[in-house]
Amino acid sequence: MAVNLQQGSALRSRSYENDDFQGMVLKMRPTKPLYALSPKIIKQAAQEFIAAFPGLPLYAVKTNPDRQVLKALKKGGIQAFDIASLAELKRINSLFPNAQMHFMHTVKTPEDIRVAYFDYGVRHFVLDHEEELFKIMRETKLAQDLNLTVRIALPKNGKALIDFSKKFGACFEEAVDLLKKCRPISKVLGLSFHVGTQTTDPGKYAKAISFCARLIEASKVNLDCLNVGGGFPVAYEGDGDMCGLHDYVTAIQNALDRHALSHLSLMAEPGRILVAGGAKLVTRVELRKGNLLYINDGVYGGLFDAAKWVGTRYAVSAISCDRAFDDNFQEYRLAGPTCDSLDMMEGPFVLPSDIGIGDWIVFENAGAYSQSLRSDFNGFGYAEVVSVSSNKD
Ligand SMILES: *Cc1c(COP(=O)(O)O)cnc(C)c1O
């Protein structure tokens, strides 16, 4: 079942030895897509991020709002959350009444601003346009305790899977103007950017910080906080050697030093890096036509990122339903279960040559942007979620 923010997801908690994942699948013999969630891995990812990053991480809730995921992050030390809607806000508030929530959508409804401010005590709001600033001022009845963040658009961005600056962010001149207007009414004034999700070049953060430095200088405004957004990557198939989190932190710190901005308090909005490794997605082969495998989940379900518009190549492995595979492998394309011809995943995905009907394909690193993006299109939305833990945990 999709992570439904109103009702929550069905979740059965089971205890399995982590090293006997295959045994678990063979025992369960799932006929529908199955998420095997590992709260321990998510907790560790949170701990690692917090240890490495010299500031406050806000978890980007949209990445995966499953309650077990959120609880694991909290156990790992995550205290603050980047929310974009009232549904996300309510989910966080119901689980962690004292958590800090930052309303980081640049286009909010007046009603949502009012409820967030007056009913839930939200004080952190982002904006990238003057009219949005007026909206926030109006709806909070000219509150004097706001912490406003100006989101900027970055100049053309190379190595990211999805460029976020086409849709969000103020350009240089607008941002300068917004900083000046926000300063008198902000207790804490911040700047934020998003270098793009799955950014594989730490230099992008350094460039973004240089851009911020010029902006701050041009505005002559005293800034308190810099939010470096999300974008920290995860290694998928074919990514080769990737920089580690410490390389990103070093690039960020060096850039801050270079521009004499080390006094700013730092924030980040990690999503993918915290939760991708925390789930495997088990799917089943329903038909094979040569090198094309028809499976029971696809781009309208948990494999949105494997569609041609993103092209993520998840690492995959196969579990046979009734025999041992021989040792030969070949490349496959995958087709999802819906009747839409866009529901295809070109990969290529390397799997046993003799894989066939009834065998399972396991997608690694399926904890980010999978559960949260499932739709019920064509009636194929259902997935089961089990929480897997080692008996030694
Ligand atoms: C989606 C999003 C994030 C998380 O991005 P990742 O690339 O998953 O780390 C952070 N901040 C904002 C504003 C977002 O929209």
Side-chain angles (χ1 to χ4, degrees):
M1 181 149 112
V3 184
N4 183 320
L5 284 170
Q6 321 299 337
Q7 287 141 34
S9 63
L11 191 128
R12 285 200 258 148
S13 203
R14 303 182 182 202
S15 184
Y16 284 100
E17 288 286 345
N18 284 338
D19 52 7
D20 191 23
F21 182 75
Q22 185 164 334
M24 180 190 93
V25 172
L26 286 172
K27 205 157 134 203
M28 292 183 71
R29 305 190 77 78
T31 59
K32 294 282 198 289
L34 169 77
Y35 287 98
L37 212 70
S38 173
K40 187 182 173 190
I41 290 176
I42 294 169
K43 178 179 147 199
Q44 281 168 350
Q47 287 169 333
E48 277 164 27
F49 194 93
I50 289 165
F53 185 75
L56 178 72
L58 318 173
Y59 170 59
V61 175
K62 76 171 187 289
T63 318
N64 189 338
D66 184 290
R67 286 192 171 84
Q68 296 299 313
V69 168
L70 294 169
K71 282 182 193 161
L73 288 167
K74 187 78 179 353
K75 272 195 192 150
I78 295 292
Q79 314 268 12
F81 297 86
D82 158 2
I83 53 123
S85 64
L86 270 195
E88 288 185 350
L89 177 154
K90 287 176 185 171
R91 162 72 55 101
I92 296 300
N93 184 256
S94 70
L95 284 175
F96 320 121
N98 299 319
Q100 216 185 88
M101 294 186 284
H102 295 230
F103 208 147
M104 300 309 273
H105 198 307
T106 53
V107 185
K108 296 166 283 300
T109 72
E111 296 81 4
D112 288 359
I113 294 170
R114 232 161 29 227
V115 172
Y117 182 87
F118 288 106
D119 299 348
Y120 292 90
V122 173
R123 295 296 178 265
H124 294 84
F125 295 90
V126 77
L127 58 107
D128 66 2
H129 194 274
E130 187 184 53
E131 290 294 338
E132 186 75 10
L133 171 62
F134 297 155
K135 206 195 279 174
I136 294 169
M137 292 169 74
R138 220 167 27 237
E139 299 307 326
T140 62
K141 303 205 177 352
L142 303 179
Q144 295 299 305
D145 57 354
L146 295 171
N147 304 309
L148 299 179
T149 295
V150 174
R151 166 93 176 256
I152 58 165
L154 296 170
K156 182 73 191 113
N157 209 327
K159 279 194 177 155
L161 209 48
I162 300 174
D163 181 353
F164 282 35
S165 290
K166 280 190 225 146
K167 180 165 176 185
F168 299 114
C171 71
F172 192 94
E173 294 75 22
E174 291 166 340
V176 167
D177 183 53
L178 283 172
L179 283 177
K180 288 179 184 160
K181 291 192 164 114
C182 288
R183 180 68 275 184
I185 59 161
S186 300
K187 253 175 50 185
V188 174
L189 177 63
L191 260 187
S192 76
F193 54 78
H194 196 303
V195 291
T197 200
Q198 187 71 1
T199 286
T200 51
D201 173 11
K204 293 280 169 221
Y205 290 85
K207 271 200 195 131
I209 290 170
S210 301
F211 188 74
C212 290
R214 274 187 281 137
L215 221 154
I216 295 164
E217 202 176 307
S219 74
K220 307 210 163 38
V221 158
N222 217 343
L223 194 76
D224 304 306
C225 167
L226 183 67
N227 182 333
V228 297
F232 306 98
V234 162
Y236 296 100
E237 195 72 4
D239 280 337
D241 282 343
M242 290 214 321
C243 294
L245 180 57
H246 64 275
D247 298 312
Y248 289 83
V249 172
T250 304
I252 289 167
Q253 282 183 314
N254 287 347
L256 290 171
D257 285 346
R258 205 160 48 243
H259 296 288
L261 293 175
S262 304
H263 60 286
L264 295 178
S265 83
L266 264 192
M267 286 188 197
E269 300 161 347
R272 186 186 301 276
I273 194 173
L274 295 184
V275 297
K280 297 178 198 287
L281 174 59
V282 184
T283 65
R284 195 172 70 166
V285 178
E286 306 299 351
L287 191 69
R288 173 173 177 176
K289 292 184 193 169
N291 69 349
L292 177 61
L293 300 175
Y294 291 77
I295 63 175
N296 65 354
D297 206 5
V299 309
Y300 296 100
L303 295 168
F304 179 88
D305 273 4
K308 70 171 177 208
W309 47 81
V310 184
T312 299
R313 286 177 62 207
Y314 292 95
V316 288
S317 59
I319 298 174
S320 167
C321 61
D322 58 359
R323 67 205 182 285
F325 290 122
D326 64 31
D327 276 341
N328 299 317
F329 288 82
Q330 69 174 73
E331 293 185 342
Y332 292 92
R333 301 156 60 219
L334 303 176
T338 71
C339 296
D340 188 326
S341 58
L342 288 174
D343 193 1
M344 301 286 293
M345 298 149 282
E346 297 297 330
F349 298 94
V350 177
L351 290 158
S353 308
D354 53 344
I355 193 169
I357 293 178
D359 296 331
W360 292 279
I361 299 176
V362 182
F363 292 79
E364 302 290 330
N365 277 332
Y369 304 111
S370 175
Q371 257 177 292
S372 55
L373 281 162
R374 302 192 76 79
S375 83
D376 201 30
F377 178 46
N378 232 183
F380 292 103
Y382 181 85
E384 193 177 347
V385 185
V386 289
S387 176
V388 178
S389 56
S390 163
N391 291 331
K392 296 176 218 109
D393 287 357

PDB file of all heavy atoms in Angstrom, residues 60 62-63 82 104 151 164 194 196-198 229-232 269-273 369, ligand 1:
ATOM      1  N   ALA A  60      13.863  15.876   4.712  1.00  0.00           N
ATOM      2  CA  ALA A  60      12.845  16.221   3.706  1.00  0.00           C
ATOM      3  C   ALA A  60      11.802  15.101   3.685  1.00  0.00           C
ATOM      4  O   ALA A  60      12.007  14.042   3.090  1.00  0.00           O
ATOM      5  CB  ALA A  60      13.494  16.385   2.329  1.00  0.00           C
ATOM      6  N   LYS A  62       9.077  14.402   2.219  1.00  0.00           N
ATOM      7  CA  LYS A  62       8.523  13.823   0.992  1.00  0.00           C
ATOM      8  C   LYS A  62       9.282  12.592   0.509  1.00  0.00           C
ATOM      9  O   LYS A  62       8.720  11.751  -0.185  1.00  0.00           O
ATOM     10  CB  LYS A  62       8.481  14.872  -0.126  1.00  0.00           C
ATOM     11  CG  LYS A  62       9.813  15.189  -0.790  1.00  0.00           C
ATOM     12  CD  LYS A  62       9.584  16.072  -2.015  1.00  0.00           C
ATOM     13  CE  LYS A  62      10.817  16.317  -2.852  1.00  0.00           C
ATOM     14  NZ  LYS A  62      11.828  17.189  -2.255  1.00  0.00           N
ATOM     15  N   THR A  63      10.563  12.492   0.877  1.00  0.00           N
ATOM     16  CA  THR A  63      11.383  11.379   0.395  1.00  0.00           C
ATOM     17  C   THR A  63      10.801  10.031   0.809  1.00  0.00           C
ATOM     18  O   THR A  63      10.782   9.081   0.035  1.00  0.00           O
ATOM     19  CB  THR A  63      12.817  11.494   0.944  1.00  0.00           C
ATOM     20  OG1 THR A  63      13.230  12.857   0.869  1.00  0.00           O
ATOM     21  CG2 THR A  63      13.772  10.643   0.169  1.00  0.00           C
ATOM     22  N   ASP A  82      11.736  19.077   7.237  1.00  0.00           N
ATOM     23  CA  ASP A  82      11.365  19.935   6.122  1.00  0.00           C
ATOM     24  C   ASP A  82      10.028  19.417   5.613  1.00  0.00           C
ATOM     25  O   ASP A  82       9.949  18.328   5.066  1.00  0.00           O
ATOM     26  CB  ASP A  82      12.468  19.844   5.060  1.00  0.00           C
ATOM     27  CG  ASP A  82      12.030  20.235   3.657  1.00  0.00           C
ATOM     28  OD1 ASP A  82      10.860  20.624   3.449  1.00  0.00           O
ATOM     29  OD2 ASP A  82      12.883  20.146   2.747  1.00  0.00           O
ATOM     30  N   MET A 104       8.964  24.411   4.059  1.00  0.00           N
ATOM     31  CA  MET A 104       9.936  24.731   3.017  1.00  0.00           C
ATOM     32  C   MET A 104       9.372  24.691   1.600  1.00  0.00           C
ATOM     33  O   MET A 104      10.112  24.533   0.641  1.00  0.00           O
ATOM     34  CB  MET A 104      11.160  23.811   3.135  1.00  0.00           C
ATOM     35  CG  MET A 104      11.894  23.924   4.456  1.00  0.00           C
ATOM     36  SD  MET A 104      12.317  25.627   4.922  1.00  0.00           S
ATOM     37  CE  MET A 104      13.894  25.840   4.081  1.00  0.00           C
ATOM     38  N   ARG A 151      14.770  31.427  -0.670  1.00  0.00           N
ATOM     39  CA  ARG A 151      15.266  30.354  -1.539  1.00  0.00           C
ATOM     40  C   ARG A 151      15.735  30.963  -2.853  1.00  0.00           C
ATOM     41  O   ARG A 151      15.001  31.723  -3.495  1.00  0.00           O
ATOM     42  CB  ARG A 151      14.136  29.349  -1.782  1.00  0.00           C
ATOM     43  CG  ARG A 151      14.348  28.350  -2.894  1.00  0.00           C
ATOM     44  CD  ARG A 151      14.958  27.059  -2.404  1.00  0.00           C
ATOM     45  NE  ARG A 151      15.064  26.077  -3.471  1.00  0.00           N
ATOM     46  CZ  ARG A 151      14.262  25.024  -3.607  1.00  0.00           C
ATOM     47  NH1 ARG A 151      13.278  24.840  -2.752  1.00  0.00           N
ATOM     48  NH2 ARG A 151      14.455  24.161  -4.586  1.00  0.00           N
ATOM     49  N   PHE A 164      16.547  21.584  -9.666  1.00  0.00           N
ATOM     50  CA  PHE A 164      15.425  22.175  -8.944  1.00  0.00           C
ATOM     51  C   PHE A 164      15.297  23.683  -9.190  1.00  0.00           C
ATOM     52  O   PHE A 164      14.350  24.296  -8.749  1.00  0.00           O
ATOM     53  CB  PHE A 164      15.565  21.945  -7.433  1.00  0.00           C
ATOM     54  CG  PHE A 164      15.190  20.558  -7.001  1.00  0.00           C
ATOM     55  CD1 PHE A 164      15.452  19.459  -7.792  1.00  0.00           C
ATOM     56  CD2 PHE A 164      14.570  20.362  -5.782  1.00  0.00           C
ATOM     57  CE1 PHE A 164      15.104  18.178  -7.383  1.00  0.00           C
ATOM     58  CE2 PHE A 164      14.225  19.086  -5.362  1.00  0.00           C
ATOM     59  CZ  PHE A 164      14.496  17.995  -6.163  1.00  0.00           C
ATOM     60  N   HIS A 194      18.874  24.502  -3.527  1.00  0.00           N
ATOM     61  CA  HIS A 194      18.930  23.049  -3.715  1.00  0.00           C
ATOM     62  C   HIS A 194      19.731  22.817  -4.985  1.00  0.00           C
ATOM     63  O   HIS A 194      19.328  23.242  -6.054  1.00  0.00           O
ATOM     64  CB  HIS A 194      17.521  22.463  -3.834  1.00  0.00           C
ATOM     65  CG  HIS A 194      17.486  20.970  -3.639  1.00  0.00           C
ATOM     66  ND1 HIS A 194      18.220  20.110  -4.416  1.00  0.00           N
ATOM     67  CD2 HIS A 194      16.830  20.186  -2.750  1.00  0.00           C
ATOM     68  CE1 HIS A 194      18.004  18.858  -4.006  1.00  0.00           C
ATOM     69  NE2 HIS A 194      17.165  18.888  -3.001  1.00  0.00           N
ATOM     70  N   GLY A 196      20.099  20.277  -6.641  1.00  0.00           N
ATOM     71  CA  GLY A 196      19.503  19.245  -7.517  1.00  0.00           C
ATOM     72  C   GLY A 196      19.679  17.890  -6.868  1.00  0.00           C
ATOM     73  O   GLY A 196      20.698  17.640  -6.223  1.00  0.00           O
ATOM     74  N   THR A 197      18.703  17.034  -7.027  1.00  0.00           N
ATOM     75  CA  THR A 197      18.781  15.751  -6.336  1.00  0.00           C
ATOM     76  C   THR A 197      19.852  14.871  -6.976  1.00  0.00           C
ATOM     77  O   THR A 197      20.159  14.991  -8.159  1.00  0.00           O
ATOM     78  CB  THR A 197      17.394  15.054  -6.331  1.00  0.00           C
ATOM     79  OG1 THR A 197      17.376  14.075  -5.292  1.00  0.00           O
ATOM     80  CG2 THR A 197      17.061  14.401  -7.666  1.00  0.00           C
ATOM     81  N   GLN A 198      20.475  14.011  -6.158  1.00  0.00           N
ATOM     82  CA  GLN A 198      21.510  13.089  -6.641  1.00  0.00           C
ATOM     83  C   GLN A 198      22.627  13.866  -7.354  1.00  0.00           C
ATOM     84  O   GLN A 198      22.976  13.611  -8.499  1.00  0.00           O
ATOM     85  CB  GLN A 198      20.863  12.039  -7.559  1.00  0.00           C
ATOM     86  CG  GLN A 198      21.757  10.904  -8.022  1.00  0.00           C
ATOM     87  CD  GLN A 198      22.119   9.925  -6.926  1.00  0.00           C
ATOM     88  OE1 GLN A 198      21.689  10.059  -5.779  1.00  0.00           O
ATOM     89  NE2 GLN A 198      22.943   8.954  -7.218  1.00  0.00           N
ATOM     90  N   GLY A 229      20.390  22.807   1.567  1.00  0.00           N
ATOM     91  CA  GLY A 229      19.407  21.968   0.877  1.00  0.00           C
ATOM     92  C   GLY A 229      19.714  20.487   0.918  1.00  0.00           C
ATOM     93  O   GLY A 229      20.420  19.989   1.802  1.00  0.00           O
ATOM     94  N   GLY A 230      19.175  19.773  -0.073  1.00  0.00           N
ATOM     95  CA  GLY A 230      19.416  18.328  -0.177  1.00  0.00           C
ATOM     96  C   GLY A 230      20.361  18.056  -1.329  1.00  0.00           C
ATOM     97  O   GLY A 230      21.222  18.875  -1.627  1.00  0.00           O
ATOM     98  N   GLY A 231      20.197  16.906  -1.964  1.00  0.00           N
ATOM     99  CA  GLY A 231      21.010  16.592  -3.136  1.00  0.00           C
ATOM    100  C   GLY A 231      22.142  15.611  -2.889  1.00  0.00           C
ATOM    101  O   GLY A 231      22.776  15.159  -3.845  1.00  0.00           O
ATOM    102  N   PHE A 232      22.416  15.282  -1.621  1.00  0.00           N
ATOM    103  CA  PHE A 232      23.512  14.358  -1.312  1.00  0.00           C
ATOM    104  C   PHE A 232      23.165  12.984  -1.903  1.00  0.00           C
ATOM    105  O   PHE A 232      22.087  12.449  -1.654  1.00  0.00           O
ATOM    106  CB  PHE A 232      23.719  14.273   0.204  1.00  0.00           C
ATOM    107  CG  PHE A 232      23.921  15.619   0.839  1.00  0.00           C
ATOM    108  CD1 PHE A 232      22.860  16.282   1.450  1.00  0.00           C
ATOM    109  CD2 PHE A 232      25.161  16.249   0.790  1.00  0.00           C
ATOM    110  CE1 PHE A 232      23.027  17.542   2.011  1.00  0.00           C
ATOM    111  CE2 PHE A 232      25.338  17.510   1.352  1.00  0.00           C
ATOM    112  CZ  PHE A 232      24.269  18.160   1.963  1.00  0.00           C
ATOM    113  N   GLU A 269      18.904  19.923   4.088  1.00  0.00           N
ATOM    114  CA  GLU A 269      17.603  19.240   3.946  1.00  0.00           C
ATOM    115  C   GLU A 269      17.796  17.897   3.268  1.00  0.00           C
ATOM    116  O   GLU A 269      17.292  17.663   2.172  1.00  0.00           O
ATOM    117  CB  GLU A 269      16.653  20.095   3.100  1.00  0.00           C
ATOM    118  CG  GLU A 269      16.359  21.458   3.672  1.00  0.00           C
ATOM    119  CD  GLU A 269      15.813  22.419   2.603  1.00  0.00           C
ATOM    120  OE1 GLU A 269      15.895  22.115   1.399  1.00  0.00           O
ATOM    121  OE2 GLU A 269      15.311  23.474   2.987  1.00  0.00           O
ATOM    122  N   PRO A 270      18.541  17.000   3.907  1.00  0.00           N
ATOM    123  CA  PRO A 270      18.789  15.705   3.255  1.00  0.00           C
ATOM    124  C   PRO A 270      17.530  14.867   3.154  1.00  0.00           C
ATOM    125  O   PRO A 270      16.704  14.848   4.068  1.00  0.00           O
ATOM    126  CB  PRO A 270      19.805  15.030   4.191  1.00  0.00           C
ATOM    127  CG  PRO A 270      19.532  15.633   5.531  1.00  0.00           C
ATOM    128  CD  PRO A 270      19.116  17.061   5.254  1.00  0.00           C
ATOM    129  N   GLY A 271      17.370  14.211   2.015  1.00  0.00           N
ATOM    130  CA  GLY A 271      16.263  13.282   1.840  1.00  0.00           C
ATOM    131  C   GLY A 271      16.825  11.929   1.476  1.00  0.00           C
ATOM    132  O   GLY A 271      17.028  11.055   2.312  1.00  0.00           O
ATOM    133  N   ARG A 272      17.141  11.792   0.181  1.00  0.00           N
ATOM    134  CA  ARG A 272      17.607  10.524  -0.378  1.00  0.00           C
ATOM    135  C   ARG A 272      18.707   9.842   0.461  1.00  0.00           C
ATOM    136  O   ARG A 272      18.619   8.644   0.751  1.00  0.00           O
ATOM    137  CB  ARG A 272      18.161  10.804  -1.788  1.00  0.00           C
ATOM    138  CG  ARG A 272      18.557   9.593  -2.575  1.00  0.00           C
ATOM    139  CD  ARG A 272      19.223  10.025  -3.887  1.00  0.00           C
ATOM    140  NE  ARG A 272      18.368  10.844  -4.711  1.00  0.00           N
ATOM    141  CZ  ARG A 272      17.437  10.365  -5.561  1.00  0.00           C
ATOM    142  NH1 ARG A 272      17.302   9.069  -5.691  1.00  0.00           N
ATOM    143  NH2 ARG A 272      16.705  11.169  -6.275  1.00  0.00           N
ATOM    144  N   ILE A 273      19.732  10.608   0.836  1.00  0.00           N
ATOM    145  CA  ILE A 273      20.895   9.986   1.486  1.00  0.00           C
ATOM    146  C   ILE A 273      20.534   9.328   2.822  1.00  0.00           C
ATOM    147  O   ILE A 273      21.177   8.384   3.261  1.00  0.00           O
ATOM    148  CB  ILE A 273      22.051  11.008   1.666  1.00  0.00           C
ATOM    149  CG1 ILE A 273      23.353  10.282   2.013  1.00  0.00           C
ATOM    150  CG2 ILE A 273      21.694  12.053   2.706  1.00  0.00           C
ATOM    151  CD1 ILE A 273      24.578  11.176   2.044  1.00  0.00           C
ATOM    152  N   TYR A 369      11.955   8.061  -2.503  1.00  0.00           N
ATOM    153  CA  TYR A 369      11.122   8.367  -3.675  1.00  0.00           C
ATOM    154  C   TYR A 369      10.551   7.108  -4.330  1.00  0.00           C
ATOM    155  O   TYR A 369      10.553   6.958  -5.540  1.00  0.00           O
ATOM    156  CB  TYR A 369      11.916   9.194  -4.697  1.00  0.00           C
ATOM    157  CG  TYR A 369      12.466  10.460  -4.099  1.00  0.00           C
ATOM    158  CD1 TYR A 369      13.831  10.629  -3.894  1.00  0.00           C
ATOM    159  CD2 TYR A 369      11.604  11.469  -3.671  1.00  0.00           C
ATOM    160  CE1 TYR A 369      14.326  11.783  -3.300  1.00  0.00           C
ATOM    161  CE2 TYR A 369      12.093  12.614  -3.083  1.00  0.00           C
ATOM    162  CZ  TYR A 369      13.448  12.765  -2.888  1.00  0.00           C
ATOM    163  OH  TYR A 369      13.925  13.890  -2.295  1.00  0.00           O
TER     164      TYR A 369
HETATM  165  C1  LIG B   1      13.076  17.154  -2.174  1.00  0.00           C
HETATM  166  C2  LIG B   1      13.757  18.225  -1.419  1.00  0.00           C
HETATM  167  C3  LIG B   1      14.860  17.917  -0.615  1.00  0.00           C
HETATM  168  C4  LIG B   1      15.494  16.546  -0.545  1.00  0.00           C
HETATM  169  O1  LIG B   1      16.322  16.350  -1.628  1.00  0.00           O
HETATM  170  P1  LIG B   1      17.265  15.063  -1.780  1.00  0.00           P
HETATM  171  O2  LIG B   1      17.864  15.254  -3.104  1.00  0.00           O
HETATM  172  O3  LIG B   1      16.416  13.857  -1.661  1.00  0.00           O
HETATM  173  O4  LIG B   1      18.282  15.131  -0.678  1.00  0.00           O
HETATM  174  C5  LIG B   1      15.392  18.944   0.118  1.00  0.00           C
HETATM  175  N1  LIG B   1      14.894  20.198   0.076  1.00  0.00           N
HETATM  176  C6  LIG B   1      13.843  20.512  -0.680  1.00  0.00           C
HETATM  177  C7  LIG B   1      13.328  21.912  -0.657  1.00  0.00           C
HETATM  178  C8  LIG B   1      13.249  19.555  -1.463  1.00  0.00           C
HETATM  179  O5  LIG B   1      12.206  19.888  -2.237  1.00  0.00           O
END
